[in-house]
Amino acid sequence: MREVGNEGKQLDFDQCIFLTRRYLDAQGWELMDAETLAVRIWSELKGRGLSGEEAEKAVNTGVWQNYAAVLYDYCRRSEPRVRELAWAELHRWLLWQAPRYIDNANDQEDAVQEAVINLQKAFETDSLQAPRALWVFALQALR
């Protein structure tokens, strides 16, 4: 669903927040609020003169890249509640991705569980050099 009337309008901070919130909601990601994440994204995009689909694509890319780093950080936190929420989000995301790689529905949960265990071991050793690459790293663990 596109925001009506913004096709030719240059991306501004309010629109960045709107697009960020919409993307987070669609993914079910709740570890960071849209406004806080939009600040990070806006710092990367402001002044680039983006509008319409180009702006939306740039914000969406910024969301998943920045959220990957946030999720990686939260998965490694010492507070149990925050860490558990982060691992639950990563688990859900992997379950959503599993049908792309594993045909048998019964095997999908097992593969996700194994991937999560492998990711937990990797995160303990801080072996992910580029946290924004979390999604690729997680998919490799799933495969």
Side-chain angles (χ1 to χ4, degrees), residues 29-118:
W29 293 342
E30 300 175 343
L31 293 174
M32 180 173 277
D33 64 278
E35 291 80 8
T36 303
L37 192 56
V39 168
R40 293 181 181 194
I41 296 164
W42 181 243
S43 71
E44 298 169 5
L45 300 180
K46 69 181 173 185
R48 289 187 37 199
L50 301 170
S51 62
E53 288 184 28
E54 183 182 31
E56 184 172 353
K57 182 178 179 184
V59 171
N60 289 348
T61 298
V63 172
W64 63 258
Q65 287 179 344
N66 281 279
Y67 200 83
V70 168
L71 185 59
Y72 177 73
D73 179 52
Y74 279 48
C75 283
R76 299 180 66 239
R77 291 230 174 145
S78 60
E79 309 93 65
R81 183 186 161 307
V82 172
R83 190 177 59 247
E84 288 171 17
L85 288 171
W87 281 106
E89 275 195 14
L90 186 54
H91 185 269
R92 279 192 314 271
W93 185 80
L94 284 168
L95 276 175
W96 183 64
Q97 298 297 319
R100 295 178 179 180
Y101 304 100
I102 304 160
D103 292 330
N104 186 330
N106 293 329
D107 294 338
Q108 291 172 7
E109 177 62 38
D110 291 341
V112 167
Q113 288 292 347
E114 187 175 327
V116 167
I117 290 168
N118 290 335

Side-chain angles (χ1 to χ4, degrees), residues 122-140:
F123 286 14
E124 286 173 10
T125 63
D126 196 22
S127 64
L128 186 58
Q129 299 300 314
R132 285 187 171 198
L134 171 63
W135 307 122
V136 173
F137 192 67
L139 290 176
Q140 287 174 343

Side-chain angles (χ1 to χ4, degrees), residues 10-26:
Q10 193 173 62
L11 181 68
D12 61 21
F13 184 62
D14 288 338
Q15 187 181 18
C16 184
I17 293 171
F18 171 81
L19 294 170
T20 300
R21 182 176 292 118
R22 186 171 68 184
Y23 194 95
L24 289 174
D25 289 347

